[in-house]
Amino acid sequence: GLVNQVVSHLIQAIPSREGSFASIRRLGAGSYYEHVKISEPNEFDIMLVIHIARLQLDESDDTGAYYYVSFKRNPRERYLLKFLDEDGKLSAFKMLEALRQIIKLEVRNITNMEVTVKRKKAGSPAITLLIKKPPAEISVDIILALEVQQSWPPSTQDGLKIEQWLGRRDRIRLRRKSLYLVAKENKKEKVLRGNTWRLSFSHIEKDMLKNHGSSKTCCESDGPKCCRKGCLKLMKYLLEQLKMKYPKELDKFCSYHVKTSYFHSCVMWPNDTDWHLGDLEHCFQKCLGYFLDCLQKSQLPHFFIPRYNLLSLEDKASNNFLLRQLNYQLNNRFPIFQE
């Protein structure tokens, strides 16, 4: 409720302070909105989306995930031209800065609760708000995204391999949805200019988590129940607990690694009968086994961009550390769940 109040206030106020953000709207992203949140709902991700008619996308590296964004001739969105850099690329950094300044000014006008903007974290695409709610604090990550209704770039062509699991028609339906790009610095760039954008599929992921069965009635009120979401929650909880225990060693990992590995598991075991509700323990160990295999090889392909490896070989030491910790948990009946 508090988060909705704050975000609604911002959505109404932002356009009047800055015309460039006149078309801004919200899109709930992240685990709370996917109904796979595992601990207290004290962290939220909110995407603020600007719709753009057409964009020119140029890959900024070999992952196929990061892009330079520029306008095709005479864009309708002339109000965004001031955010172009000297090469004519839309600068994520400039847009984020403008949005951050407006939000900083605007939170002062929220009088019925204490809201502050957290200091900027290098390389993070989020503007983080802190809402004081004694005895705790709620953090809200605001992420700036561009939405464009055009075909997905070639790097996604062989991704989203869900034909056996959700069916061919679902793949076609999902690939027709808009494309989203979030303001995100590409760490691999020689010179960090802050003008790259990363593809985001959180809206598709949300859809797949909701309609997750090979039969359309899976987990609906009158349909059979499965343990897919239970497995994902356990995987996320396991990683979260280990990260709390070893923050430095596991700094490179986030719940997205687990979520990606979960989607690959759904493809490997596509039938609802592979995920009987009563088989949670067995299925969880199967999912974990697949993730361990990825860590072993330092190879976890992005679910939508297959050539983008989320576990690079440069991080082999981190991958091995997590591999050892997870193996220990698995072989000792998960002591961390009892702690």
Side-chain angles (χ1 to χ4, degrees):
L2 292 176
V3 172
N4 284 336
Q5 274 183 52
V6 171
V7 175
S8 302
H9 177 98
L10 292 177
I11 293 245
Q12 283 172 349
I14 290 169
S16 57
R17 279 190 181 264
E18 167 59 88
S20 310
F21 298 124
S23 66
I24 211 156
R25 62 180 183 84
R26 75 179 283 173
L27 188 75
S31 56
Y32 179 78
Y33 296 96
E34 294 164 346
H35 305 291
V36 288
K37 187 84 185 124
I38 42 180
S39 35
E40 283 292 301
N42 58 355
E43 289 180 357
F44 294 81
D45 296 321
I46 305 277
M47 262 188 182
L48 292 191
V49 181
I50 294 178
H51 183 80
I52 293 180
R54 280 180 72 219
L55 286 172
Q56 168 76 37
L57 301 180
D58 298 297
E59 291 190 15
S60 83
D61 65 6
D62 56 359
T63 62
Y66 289 89
Y67 288 81
Y68 297 121
V69 167
S70 47
F71 288 109
K72 307 219 166 172
R73 283 193 309 273
N74 305 326
R76 269 185 264 171
E77 300 80 11
R78 300 200 67 78
Y79 50 85
L80 293 177
L81 297 181
K82 63 175 175 197
F83 296 124
L84 297 182
D85 64 12
E86 58 280 8
D87 301 334
K89 298 187 180 77
L90 190 58
S91 165
F93 173 75
K94 283 184 179 178
M95 283 187 79
L96 265 180
E97 265 314 292
L99 186 59
R100 170 181 277 277
Q101 293 316 321
I102 298 169
I103 290 175
K104 271 171 107 165
L105 290 171
E106 206 41 64
V107 293
R108 295 178 193 162
N109 296 335
I110 301 175
T111 49
N112 59 338
M113 61 185 108
E114 194 185 328
V115 186
T116 51
V117 178
K118 209 171 156 187
R119 280 195 53 195
K120 191 170 182 277
K121 214 166 86 190
S124 162
I127 299 165
T128 306
L129 306 180
L130 296 175
I131 303 173
K132 282 263 191 304
K133 182 184 182 284
E137 201 169 48
I138 300 171
S139 96
V140 183
D141 277 353
I142 291 185
I143 294 141
L144 176 65
L146 309 175
E147 178 194 11
V148 50
Q149 190 74 56
Q150 63 190 47
S151 53
W152 295 10
S155 65
T156 65
Q157 197 53 54
D158 298 325
L160 191 60
K161 279 273 166 260
I162 56 172
E163 290 88 343
Q164 302 300 312
W165 165 33
L166 299 174
R168 237 184 76 230
R169 278 164 62 184
D170 246 23
R171 184 176 190 267
I172 294 166
R173 174 182 71 83
L174 291 172
R175 282 186 60 91
R176 284 196 182 128
K177 285 182 178 261
S178 301
L179 192 63
Y180 288 88
L181 295 124
V182 295
K184 177 81 173 115
E185 204 165 67
N186 183 359
K187 302 266 193 337
K188 285 188 175 168
E189 274 195 308
K190 302 275 184 293
V191 185
L192 287 178
R193 307 250 293 286
N195 61 355
T196 50
W197 298 78
R198 191 186 65 200
L199 295 180
S200 163
F201 299 94
S202 59
H203 58 309
I204 310 281
E205 290 159 7
K206 196 165 145 186
D207 191 306
M208 293 193 308
L209 282 166
K210 186 166 175 269
N211 309 304
H212 56 253
S214 48
S215 81
K216 292 299 165 226
T217 56
C218 185
C219 288
E220 287 190 356
S221 53
D222 49 351
K225 305 280 183 276
C226 80
C227 66
R228 285 182 182 91
K229 273 193 179 175
C231 287
L232 176 56
K233 284 181 174 181
L234 281 172
M235 295 273 292
K236 286 178 63 155
Y237 184 65
L238 181 55
L239 179 63
E240 200 174 274
Q241 296 304 104
L242 286 170
K243 272 178 71 81
M244 280 162 74
K245 210 168 171 178
Y246 306 106
K248 202 164 96 261
E249 293 86 346
L250 298 180
D251 178 48
K252 291 259 191 300
F253 296 99
C254 62
S255 63
Y256 197 70
H257 288 104
V258 166
K259 194 187 197 182
T260 300
S261 126
Y262 159 80
F263 284 135
H264 286 300
S265 298
C266 289
V267 168
M268 283 172 76
W269 297 288
N271 303 316
D272 296 345
T273 47
D274 299 321
W275 302 87
H276 277 304
L277 190 60
D279 295 341
L280 176 63
E281 189 177 347
H282 169 68
C283 294
F284 166 57
Q285 296 197 9
K286 217 162 54 166
C287 276
L288 185 57
Y290 173 75
F291 187 48
L292 290 170
D293 201 40
C294 295
L295 288 166
Q296 178 83 49
K297 299 178 189 147
S298 287
Q299 187 70 39
L300 173 61
H302 191 287
F303 194 68
F304 299 85
I305 310 167
R307 65 171 140 119
Y308 180 24
N309 178 18
L310 297 177
L311 295 174
S312 74
L313 278 162
E314 298 152 30
D315 298 329
K316 190 122 187 75
S318 305
N319 300 343
N320 284 341
F321 184 86
L322 182 55
L323 181 65
R324 283 196 304 278
Q325 294 307 323
L326 289 172
N327 268 319
Y328 174 79
Q329 292 296 325
L330 178 63
N331 298 329
N332 293 282
R333 299 195 60 82
F334 302 100
I336 205 154
F337 287 166
Q338 270 83 53
E339 281 171 20

